Amino acid sequence: MNNTAPLNTDDLQTWLDYWSHVHVTGIDLGLERVIPVAEALGVVKPNAKVLTVAGTNGKGSTTTTLAAILNAQGLNVGLYQSPHIYRFNERVKLAGQEVDDQTLIDAFVEVDQARRACDLTLSFFEATTLAAFVIFKQKQCDVWVLEVGLGGRLDVVNVIDPDVAVITNIGLDHTDWLGDSIEKIAFEKAGIIRPNIPVIFAGQQDIPQAILNKVEESQAQLYAVNRDYFYASSNEDEQSWDFASSGTTLKFPQGALALENISAAVAAILVSGLQVSQQAIARGIQNAQLQGRFEVRKINGKTVIFDAGHNPHGVEFLLKQLRKFLEYNKQYTEVVSIFSMLSDKDINSVVKLLKNTVLQWKIAPLTVPRAASMEQLQAALQGETVEQFNCVQAAFQSALADTKNNQLILVCGSFHTLEAVWEYLEECQ
């Protein structure tokens, strides 16, 4: 174990490398080591409203929308999300802007001093999350919007009691860590619920029993989609949608993100006790953008869609948006996919969902420890038109060169697949 802190360095990467080696594993669920360090840092009971979002998919869109609405209201908002796509700084935002390297480095110094004083090790995720909390405390944020990294109950974000808990949906993902059934995973996500707080459940599914049990035990107030609040696109135009809950019907503009996540954010704002105007909600919805969530870009005259969906639920959602896109853009009759995944994901189910839509697959290995092998990808894609490349960048280059006017390029399968293409595009600039 490397315990030598990179003192007096102004290089963020040196610190990130350090945190990768301080603890014996990258993921280590449990709060025993984290709580004493969080207490030493004075971040456990923030002098701020805290909105925590857990779920299998949609957390990024929901937290992004929440922060955008609160920023539009003029509040001082700290937003914490993970993972990042291109730069680590994306994980920590103040007033909608990524924090600079020096702010992160100063926070890392503080976290490292506290963990040493407690004589404890921290995983990369624990240390970096605590650093975000240190920054929000120092900057005296009015509201902390926190995205849970993995699960809920044992995730480091859960050292802080939220004032509102949002659970976007429950799907089978990270089964090695969270359990192999919807109920087991729901039990972990329900860990963010606290006594007497509002809980938004935004999943398009029956509410899992584990969540109902935790709500009852905590005497929390549950607001479930299609039961306590509703949303629908307006019939008369494509530009607006309606939100309804007990005694309230509101009309809002369409945003760039998925409506089920935008509506979950609106529901959370309305029960939060924060004073937020309808105008701020509307402005926030229009401002909310998220890299890699059905992100459409023109590159060298070709249409490229980036989507970070990496499990069946995420890919179903991607397909829903893709069908809508193809309906409005009838010039595209074929989809070519730049595709790679992590080995611990449900590759077969993802491919099964995509293969009626994707005509050609260009696959390549990722350069991360959990990358799926070419054999794994090939096995899932049996019977499909597949071209193999030695890296994602080469697959993307080939797609840009070969794609015809009636074809669009879909980059999907993992955050890491998107990241590889973005790095390539950055280098080309």
Side-chain angles (χ1 to χ4, degrees):
M1 186 197 299
N2 171 10
N3 239 346
T4 316
L7 297 172
N8 305 323
T9 181
D10 57 2
D11 178 49
L12 178 60
Q13 193 55 51
T14 308
W15 269 102
L16 297 176
D17 293 343
Y18 167 70
W19 288 123
S20 302
H21 297 106
V22 167
H23 190 59
V24 71
T25 57
I27 298 175
D28 189 356
L29 293 179
L31 303 178
E32 302 80 16
R33 281 171 303 97
V34 179
I35 288 171
V37 185
E39 285 172 345
L41 290 165
V43 295
V44 177
K45 294 196 182 330
N47 185 18
K49 271 272 188 208
V50 178
L51 310 175
T52 298
V53 180
T56 304
N57 296 290
K59 300 188 294 284
S61 299
T62 306
T63 48
T64 295
T65 305
L66 280 167
I69 291 169
L70 297 165
N71 283 322
Q73 181 62 37
L75 293 161
N76 181 8
V77 183
L79 169 62
Y80 175 66
Q81 297 172 304
S82 68
H84 62 279
I85 291 181
Y86 191 57
R87 278 180 309 283
F88 180 84
N89 310 52
E90 294 164 26
R91 296 182 182 219
V92 186
K93 294 192 178 85
L94 297 166
Q97 300 300 310
E98 293 169 18
V99 295
D100 57 60
D101 288 8
Q102 196 54 53
T103 303
L104 283 164
I105 290 163
D106 293 346
F108 285 151
V109 170
E110 214 171 305
V111 171
D112 197 49
Q113 285 168 345
R115 78 152 189 96
R116 284 164 184 277
C118 298
D119 196 22
L120 290 164
T121 60
L122 294 173
S123 71
F124 178 89
F125 187 69
E126 290 163 350
T128 52
T129 304
L130 290 178
F133 297 168
V134 166
I135 292 166
F136 297 161
K137 181 190 168 194
Q138 283 171 348
K139 303 292 181 187
Q140 298 181 329
C141 293
D142 304 315
V143 190
W144 297 17
V145 178
L146 308 178
E147 178 183 330
V148 170
L150 183 60
R153 185 173 64 94
L154 300 175
D155 186 272
V156 53
V157 165
N158 207 31
V159 301
I160 294 187
D161 294 338
D163 297 291
V164 180
V166 182
I167 300 173
T168 56
N169 56 52
I170 312 289
L172 288 173
D173 199 12
H174 301 294
T175 49
D176 295 357
W177 299 99
L178 304 179
D180 55 5
S181 71
I182 291 291
E183 280 299 334
K184 284 180 187 168
I185 292 173
F187 173 76
E188 295 300 329
K189 309 280 184 199
I192 67 168
I193 297 170
R194 297 294 194 277
N196 307 308
I197 68 165
V199 177
I200 306 293
F201 181 72
Q204 303 289 319
Q205 62 199 116
D206 292 338
I207 307 165
Q209 193 58 44
I211 290 175
L212 294 172
N213 293 349
K214 183 69 174 177
V215 163
E216 192 179 345
E217 175 198 315
S218 308
Q219 296 185 307
Q221 297 87 49
L222 181 64
Y223 299 88
V225 69
N226 302 328
R227 188 194 82 174
D228 305 295
Y229 75 92
F230 304 84
Y231 66 89
S233 287
S234 299
N235 291 332
E236 66 268 24
D237 62 45
E238 284 292 325
Q239 302 308 306
S240 64
W241 62 283
D242 298 315
F243 178 94
S245 63
S246 143
T248 309
T249 303
L250 301 166
K251 193 178 279 296
F252 293 116
Q254 289 282 5
L257 301 174
L259 202 46
E260 71 177 65
N261 302 323
I262 293 174
S263 61
V266 171
I269 295 284
L270 294 178
V271 299
S272 68
L274 291 161
Q275 296 301 307
V276 181
S277 70
Q278 196 176 331
Q279 290 77 4
I281 297 175
R283 216 163 45 246
I285 289 167
Q286 288 177 303
N287 292 345
Q289 302 262 318
L290 196 56
Q291 274 190 303
R293 305 308 200 287
F294 205 78
E295 184 186 352
V296 184
R297 286 169 66 173
K298 270 272 191 251
I299 299 166
N300 294 2
K302 308 290 168 75
T303 297
V304 183
I305 294 172
F306 293 92
D307 194 280
H310 53 269
N311 53 34
H313 185 280
V315 171
E316 277 170 11
F317 205 81
L318 151 64
L319 286 169
K320 213 192 285 181
Q321 290 172 294
L322 185 56
R323 283 186 201 109
K324 207 188 236 180
F325 181 85
L326 292 170
E327 219 173 280
Y328 286 102
N329 298 275
K330 295 202 187 308
Q331 69 270 37
Y332 300 114
T333 55
E334 294 175 359
V335 177
V336 176
S337 181
I338 313 300
F339 183 76
S340 196
M341 286 186 71
L342 295 176
S343 62
D344 54 3
K345 298 295 175 188
D346 187 351
I347 299 171
N348 290 332
S349 298
V350 164
V351 166
K352 201 171 168 185
L353 285 166
L354 286 169
K355 65 182 186 186
N356 293 332
T357 305
V358 174
L359 178 80
Q360 285 177 317
W361 303 78
K362 292 179 185 279
I363 64 171
L366 297 170
T367 56
V368 293
R370 288 152 54 214
S373 66
M374 282 291 93
E375 291 72 28
Q376 261 180 300
L377 296 173
Q378 284 281 18
L381 287 161
Q382 243 178 345
E384 298 292 295
T385 307
V386 180
E387 213 178 332
Q388 239 176 290
F389 296 85
N390 61 358
C391 65
V392 171
Q393 289 88 335
F396 183 70
Q397 258 176 314
S398 152
L400 278 187
D402 302 344
T403 305
K404 301 174 185 70
N405 289 341
N406 67 323
Q407 295 176 324
L408 64 81
I409 300 168
L410 173 64
V411 182
C412 67
S414 171
F415 275 110
H416 301 286
T417 315
L418 275 58
E419 192 173 15
V421 174
W422 272 316
E423 279 177 10
Y424 165 74
L425 291 170
E426 195 92 346
E427 284 158 17
C428 294
Q429 277 178 2

